[in-house]
Amino acid sequence: MTQMSQEEIVSNTKTVLQGLEALRVEHLTLISNLTEGSKKDPDKSEIVMKNIENIELGLGEAQVIVVLASHLQNIEAEKQKLRTQVRRLCQENAWLRDELANTQQKLQSSEQTVAQLEEEKKHLEFMASVKKYDDNQENEEQQEKSRSDPVVELFPEDESEERHNMSPTPPNQFANHANAGYEIPARLRTLHNLVIQYASQGRYEVAVPLCKQALEDLERTSGHDHPDVATMLNILALVYRDQNKYKEAANLLNDALAIREKTLGENHPAVAATLNNLAVLYGKRGKYKDAEPLCKRALEIRENVLGKNHPDVAKQLNNLALLCQNQTKYEEVEMYYQRALEIYEMKLGPDDPNVAKTKNNLASCFLKQGKYKEAEILYKQVLTRAHEREFGAINGENKPIWQVAEEREENKLKNRENTPYGEYGGWHKAAKVDSPTVTTTLKNLGALYRRQGKYEAADTLEDCALRSKKEALDLVKQSKVAKILGVSDENRRQRMKDSDSYDEEGKRSQK
């Protein structure tokens, strides 16, 4: 017997139900005839009654089956509806899981970004605090007396301290930049010094008219093509450069260059100085390709006049390296810095400040190329040499600051409360007012450590640099106050002495 489906069972049940209903009607008619007729047959009536009962029982069961089938159909429809809802909920659940996973990834990325930004904020706050002391120190430090043919540095040695607006150039730098290789005649010296003094104070409204007046007088008495005119043009160009009037300054320097080449010769040191000033000006305007040939020509003149191993040649090499570095010519940059370093070490010795400064510049070049190991070696050399000069030979008890910083980095998990920085031999005192390169190296190596994720080591070096700046500034202020008080006491003693002398004269006159 084949298995029937639900629909076939319901259909057959309804057919049976109809047949049973018809059979029941027939039996009722039959029982009515048997009971009402003249011929009564109790046995037949009893049989018919039993059949009727069975028919009614079958009808009841058939009706139950029909009702049950209807109920099952409703249940199946509800079941299908629930299945549809389950499928939709499963899809929504899968979508929510994907959204949750994406949100968790975004959250992790945001947390990492926040952590990185907090570190950068901390570093920037430190650099800002150091910059504040650097700005104060710039006004306090004595400018080192330069040679008769100086070289202008293109940019500050610390990139974080670059200034977009030039501050007034100190007086001795003004004179050196303008007059390198050429002696100022006596007739111009007073006016020349006055212009430089006003320009160095930022009083351009006075300095510029004085320069222009001097130029007119010189051109009227000596003619345009005279070395004195070129010198005054150089001074006025530097004044314009300090005012960010680069176009006017460039025109004046080109005019001065033409005059000096014509009157002094193309290989004169003054020509090299003007070429260098013009290269510096182009460098500050971002015209590195225009500045590079000028700087190379100035280098050639200095090599011919001073010799290839002269310290001023090394300074010119530093300028040329900076120009090439801004053009990402890193191979040439390394070559120029290495040669400058050799000259400084050979002529001035390993302890000359220019040696440390050039190593710092070379390390910055390595840093820009991602050569962290080479940069780290140079920074450590500078700090190690400074430590040896200040505290003597290095041993297990006398460690340079970078070694202390790395030990603190290694032990940061073992010792949460590290020993205060000041207990490491007072190393920060090595970065004094007269050694700004050491402070710069501390900051640069700290920044390198921070890039490598060595935050404890970076904090150690940056704290050391900050301490040195604070102490240096305090020492300068104390010395100035002491000097002022000393002058006041001397003046008071002199006045008392003069008063006593006056009293003695008065007494003698009365007698």
Side-chain angles (χ1 to χ4, degrees):
M1 184 177 180
T2 60
Q3 187 176 1
M4 291 186 297
S5 64
Q6 183 177 343
E7 289 78 7
E8 292 176 342
I9 293 174
V10 172
S11 177
N12 292 337
T13 302
K14 288 181 178 180
T15 302
V16 170
L17 187 60
Q18 291 175 357
L20 289 174
E21 187 66 33
L23 189 60
R24 177 174 174 275
V25 171
E26 290 178 0
H27 278 68
L28 288 174
T29 303
L30 184 60
I31 195 65
S32 176
N33 293 331
L34 289 174
T35 55
E36 292 177 0
S38 57
K39 297 180 179 180
K40 296 182 179 179
D41 191 347
D43 294 333
K44 289 183 178 180
S45 297
E46 185 178 356
I47 292 171
V48 171
M49 287 299 295
K50 286 183 180 180
N51 289 337
I52 290 173
E53 289 176 0
N54 290 330
I55 289 170
E56 289 179 349
L57 180 61
L59 286 170
E61 290 179 352
Q63 289 174 352
V64 169
I65 290 173
V66 172
V67 172
L68 182 59
S70 177
H71 182 65
L72 288 176
Q73 287 178 350
N74 292 335
I75 290 176
E76 186 65 27
E78 191 69 24
K79 184 178 177 182
Q80 292 295 332
K81 184 179 179 181
L82 290 175
R83 283 178 178 173
T84 304
Q85 291 179 353
V86 167
R87 282 196 299 270
R88 189 181 73 252
L89 290 175
C90 288
Q91 293 174 352
E92 291 179 358
N93 188 34
W95 178 79
L96 289 174
R97 285 178 181 275
D98 292 339
E99 285 293 315
L100 179 60
N102 293 334
T103 305
Q104 287 177 340
Q105 290 178 355
K106 292 179 180 178
L107 178 61
Q108 291 176 355
S109 177
S110 299
E111 289 175 348
Q112 293 175 356
T113 304
V114 168
Q116 184 178 358
L117 289 175
E118 287 177 351
E119 287 295 332
E120 291 179 358
K121 178 185 175 185
K122 184 178 179 182
H123 181 61
L124 290 174
E125 288 175 349
F126 164 76
M127 296 302 293
S129 62
V130 171
K131 181 65 167 61
K132 179 181 68 175
Y133 291 106
D134 284 346
D135 291 339
N136 292 332
Q137 186 175 341
E138 282 182 3
N139 299 325
E140 304 291 345
E141 288 181 343
Q142 295 289 336
Q143 294 293 332
E144 182 182 355
K145 185 176 181 180
S146 59
R147 298 174 177 82
S148 61
D149 190 14
V151 180
V152 187
E153 294 294 345
L154 279 174
F155 307 104
E157 66 178 5
D158 186 4
E159 293 179 0
S160 66
E161 296 173 0
E162 288 185 5
R163 300 167 296 172
H164 296 288
N165 296 321
M166 294 290 296
S167 61
T169 304
N172 63 333
Q173 286 189 14
F174 244 114
N176 290 330
H177 297 175
N179 312 325
Y182 180 75
E183 183 69 23
I184 295 294
R187 62 177 181 145
L188 280 181
R189 201 162 294 154
T190 302
L191 179 61
H192 166 267
N193 293 337
L194 191 59
V195 169
I196 289 175
Q197 189 64 33
Y198 283 130
S200 64
Q201 295 172 0
R203 299 177 63 183
Y204 306 117
E205 72 282 359
V206 180
V208 171
L210 279 176
C211 273
K212 290 183 176 180
Q213 183 62 46
L215 273 173
E216 290 179 4
D217 294 341
L218 286 170
E219 289 179 340
R220 184 171 60 253
T221 57
S222 303
H224 181 71
D225 295 336
H226 193 277
D228 294 349
V229 174
T231 298
M232 197 55 64
L233 287 170
N234 264 279
I235 295 174
L236 184 56
L238 292 176
V239 174
Y240 279 147
R241 188 195 69 185
D242 277 10
Q243 296 177 284
N244 296 329
K245 296 179 178 180
Y246 296 128
K247 185 176 180 180
E248 295 88 338
N251 292 334
L252 293 174
L253 285 174
N254 279 310
D255 195 7
L257 179 62
I259 295 173
R260 284 183 167 175
E261 286 179 333
K262 183 177 180 180
T263 58
L264 302 176
E266 294 185 354
N267 293 322
H268 194 276
V271 173
T274 308
L275 285 167
N276 185 73
N277 288 343
L278 193 55
V280 169
L281 184 63
Y282 285 152
K284 289 183 179 297
R285 297 174 65 186
K287 296 183 176 181
Y288 305 118
K289 291 183 179 180
D290 296 332
E292 185 179 350
L294 298 174
C295 202
K296 286 183 176 180
R297 187 182 163 200
L299 174 63
E300 184 180 356
I301 294 174
R302 293 180 192 279
E303 288 178 335
N304 293 333
V305 175
L306 304 174
K308 292 191 175 183
N309 293 325
H310 194 278
D312 285 347
V313 172
K315 289 184 179 180
Q316 192 71 54
L317 286 167
N318 265 297
N319 275 5
L320 187 54
L322 285 169
L323 285 173
C324 292
Q325 183 166 306
N326 281 280
Q327 300 175 73
T328 65
K329 299 179 180 180
Y330 294 120
E331 291 185 3
E332 296 181 35
V333 174
E334 292 181 21
M335 179 184 67
Y336 293 138
Y337 278 142
Q338 291 286 2
R339 187 180 161 202
L341 188 58
E342 291 174 2
I343 294 173
Y344 282 136
E345 290 178 335
M346 178 175 59
K347 293 294 183 179
L348 304 179
D351 291 332
D352 187 81
N354 288 300
V355 173
K357 183 177 180 180
T358 305
K359 285 186 176 180
N360 232 317
N361 291 341
L362 182 56
S364 298
C365 173
F366 286 143
L367 208 60
K368 290 180 183 295
Q369 299 177 76
K371 297 180 179 180
Y372 298 141
K373 190 63 180 177
E374 292 86 344
E376 185 176 345
I377 291 172
L378 288 173
Y379 288 141
K380 288 179 178 179
Q381 286 178 359
V382 174
L383 296 179
T384 300
R385 190 66 182 174
H387 184 95
E388 290 174 341
R389 287 199 308 270
E390 189 73 18
F391 302 108
I394 294 174
N395 53 45
E397 299 297 327
N398 186 24
K399 301 175 182 178
I401 188 64
W402 61 265
Q403 190 172 345
V404 173
E406 290 186 351
E407 288 180 357
R408 291 175 67 85
E409 180 68 32
E410 292 175 1
N411 299 325
K412 64 181 178 182
L413 298 179
K414 299 179 183 178
N415 185 11
R416 290 288 181 182
E417 297 179 358
N418 286 329
T419 309
Y421 309 118
E423 295 183 10
Y424 287 97
W427 201 95
H428 56 275
K429 294 180 181 178
K432 297 179 180 178
V433 180
D434 58 350
S435 183
T437 304
V438 173
T439 305
T440 301
T441 306
L442 286 170
K443 292 184 288 185
N444 289 347
L445 184 55
L448 176 57
Y449 279 148
R450 197 170 293 281
R451 288 189 186 185
Q452 295 173 338
K454 300 178 180 179
Y455 299 118
E456 184 66 31
D459 289 342
T460 302
L461 296 184
E462 290 170 355
D463 181 85
C464 180
L466 185 59
R467 283 166 171 257
S468 70
K469 287 291 181 184
K470 289 181 178 179
E471 293 201 2
L473 188 60
D474 292 342
L475 288 173
V476 171
K477 289 182 178 179
Q478 290 173 8
S479 64
K480 280 188 170 291
V481 170
K483 184 177 180 180
I484 293 172
L485 292 176
V487 171
S488 300
D489 291 341
E490 182 66 27
N491 291 338
R492 186 170 62 254
R493 286 195 296 270
Q494 184 64 37
R495 286 196 300 271
M496 291 177 65
K497 183 178 179 180
D498 294 342
S499 178
D500 293 340
S501 299
Y502 178 78
D503 291 341
E504 289 295 329
E505 290 291 332
K507 290 177 181 179
R508 282 198 295 270
S509 64
Q510 289 176 1
K511 291 179 181 179

